[in-house]
Amino acid sequence: MKATKKIAALMLALVLALSMTACGSSDKTESKDTAEAGTTAAAAEGDTTTDSGSESGKKFKIGICQLVQHEALDAATQGFIDEVTKEMGEDAVEFDLQNAQNDSNTCSTIVNNFVSNNYDLILANATPALQAAAAATNTIPILGTSVTEYGVALQLSDFNGTVGGNISGTSDLAPLEDQANMVKELFPDAKNVGLLYCSSEANSQYQVDTVKAFLEKLNYSCKLYAFSDSNDISAVTTTASAECDVIYVPTDNTVASNTGIISNICMPAGVPVIAGEEGICAGCGVATLSISYYDLGVTTGKMAVRILKDGEDISTMPIEYAPNFVKKYNESVCKDLNITIPDGYEAIKSE
């Protein structure tokens, strides 16, 4: 009887021990599952990476107002975008490219929209775009490009190379005296030079006035032929080609958009055109002393990176200029006009 009770007591103790062991194992498993779930949730909550690509996580917005679509301005815009993207990463910057279709009022509408959306920087490609941007904001950084003379464009009487305020940029100004000397080099026997330009573009007026003075020192008789917009180009060019031996056109956006009209008038008349930049020369000119507008855009892009990424103060940044100028000629036009180009000129590559 006593043996039976001992056996029963031992069996009861064994059952109790097994029950406690099972309970402990269950608690540990639950604790482990809870800890793993908590770790996963914490990791998910801590994963706050952005797609901006910038160290600060900010995605910059740059508004680009381009006056009109033509080869030179297109190249400057592309150079700017390529350089900023290369230095800051594709995901760090959002570009809003707008074309004003050669209308100053549209430039104003475009840049006012950039301002109302509080963009981080504005690229103003060409003088009217710069003027519109300057009128729209004095706080958002503005970089100009394809602007010939900032003092003239912004009516600064004391311009010394740095605009100040919220404006800086790059200039496409070529050595105008050297362009005048090019006329003398290629056409020493010419007597009359016509200067064809758009009177509504302040920088075009500046260029022809300056070149005219240099040409007159070289004993040429010069006359200005101004048109107010594209509707007048044909009539004014016809008059100039009838009265002049050579025509000079500056870096002029309206001319650049209408080189076909000028070529169709000057070529049959046998009147050569010296152009202020390569794009115009490719369309209607004989020769030019020009810059690379793509490289000019790259230089402007470097300035944008210094402002947005490095925090450089735009008010202290001087206007930058193209470092290199190349003598170029239009091979097909020279052949048609029977003009021999001396050594030292580079043929313009056809598209």
Side-chain angles (χ1 to χ4, degrees):
M1 186 70 179
K2 287 181 180 179
T4 303
K5 287 183 178 180
K6 282 183 177 181
I7 291 172
L10 287 171
M11 291 181 66
L12 178 60
L14 180 61
V15 170
L16 289 172
L18 290 172
S19 176
M20 290 177 67
T21 301
C23 183
S25 177
S26 175
D27 288 345
K28 287 180 181 178
T29 302
E30 182 180 354
S31 177
K32 181 180 178 182
D33 290 345
T34 302
E36 288 179 350
T39 301
T40 303
E45 183 177 353
D47 185 12
T48 58
T49 56
T50 66
D51 63 352
S52 70
S54 65
E55 293 179 2
S56 65
K58 175 180 174 62
K59 187 162 189 175
F60 296 100
K61 291 187 177 181
I62 298 178
I64 301 175
C65 179
Q66 181 173 319
L67 175 64
V68 66
Q69 184 175 6
H70 65 66
E71 185 176 344
L73 300 191
D74 291 349
T77 293
Q78 192 61 55
F80 176 84
I81 291 174
D82 288 350
E83 181 63 21
V84 172
T85 302
K86 183 184 79 171
E87 294 295 329
M88 301 186 69
E90 291 185 0
D91 295 327
V93 182
E94 178 182 335
F95 299 99
D96 184 357
L97 173 57
Q98 300 290 329
N99 192 304
Q101 304 298 326
N102 207 22
D103 185 86
S104 298
N105 292 329
T106 304
C107 284
S108 297
T109 301
I110 290 170
V111 294
N112 282 326
N113 182 61
F114 293 161
V115 173
S116 65
N117 284 285
N118 198 30
Y119 280 16
D120 297 290
L121 186 140
I122 295 172
L123 175 70
N125 192 346
T127 298
L130 175 68
Q131 292 168 332
T137 178
N138 61 4
T139 55
I140 297 174
I142 299 167
L143 288 175
T145 193
S146 312
V147 176
T148 304
E149 221 289 328
Y150 282 74
V152 172
L154 300 174
Q155 298 181 333
L156 305 175
S157 58
D158 57 347
F159 177 65
N160 61 0
T162 301
V163 176
N166 65 322
I167 299 174
S168 189
T170 56
S171 169
D172 62 358
L173 180 63
L176 297 177
E177 184 173 10
D178 291 345
Q179 289 188 348
N181 290 335
M182 181 177 284
V183 176
K184 188 69 173 178
E185 180 180 32
L186 297 178
F187 308 107
D189 298 327
K191 303 298 182 183
N192 305 305
V193 178
L195 297 104
L196 181 69
Y197 69 105
C198 181
S199 58
S200 63
E201 296 189 32
N203 280 312
S204 295
Q205 185 73 59
Y206 169 80
Q207 289 175 84
V208 295
D209 287 343
T210 304
V211 170
K212 180 175 181 288
F214 287 131
L215 288 170
E216 288 175 342
K217 288 182 179 179
L218 296 173
N219 297 317
Y220 288 104
S221 175
C222 299
K223 183 176 179 180
L224 301 180
Y225 293 87
F227 52 87
S228 58
D229 55 39
S230 58
N231 295 322
D232 300 331
I233 288 181
S234 180
V236 175
T237 303
T238 299
T239 300
S241 64
E243 297 177 351
C244 300
D245 303 315
V246 179
I247 288 176
Y248 170 85
V249 292
T251 55
D252 183 294
N253 292 296
T254 308
V255 169
S257 299
N258 294 276
T259 55
I261 295 175
I262 296 172
S263 179
N264 289 338
I265 294 170
C266 291
M267 288 294 291
V271 178
V273 175
I274 298 295
E277 59 93 6
E278 182 177 343
I280 294 175
C281 189
C284 65
V286 167
T288 183
L289 180 65
S290 186
I291 66 170
S292 165
Y293 276 82
Y294 181 87
D295 290 347
L296 193 70
V298 168
T299 299
T300 319
K302 291 181 184 296
M303 297 176 76
V305 172
R306 283 154 51 195
I307 294 166
L308 297 177
K309 187 176 180 181
D310 303 332
E312 187 165 340
D313 182 1
I314 191 172
S315 69
T316 65
M317 298 172 71
I319 301 303
E320 298 192 23
Y321 296 81
N324 300 309
F325 299 89
V326 181
K327 287 183 175 181
K328 294 192 175 185
Y329 73 100
N330 187 324
E331 192 170 14
S332 62
V333 171
C334 289
K335 183 178 180 180
D336 290 343
L337 294 180
N338 197 27
I339 296 172
T340 301
I341 298 294
D343 294 338
Y345 284 73
E346 178 183 310
I348 295 174
K349 295 178 181 178
S350 58
E351 294 291 331

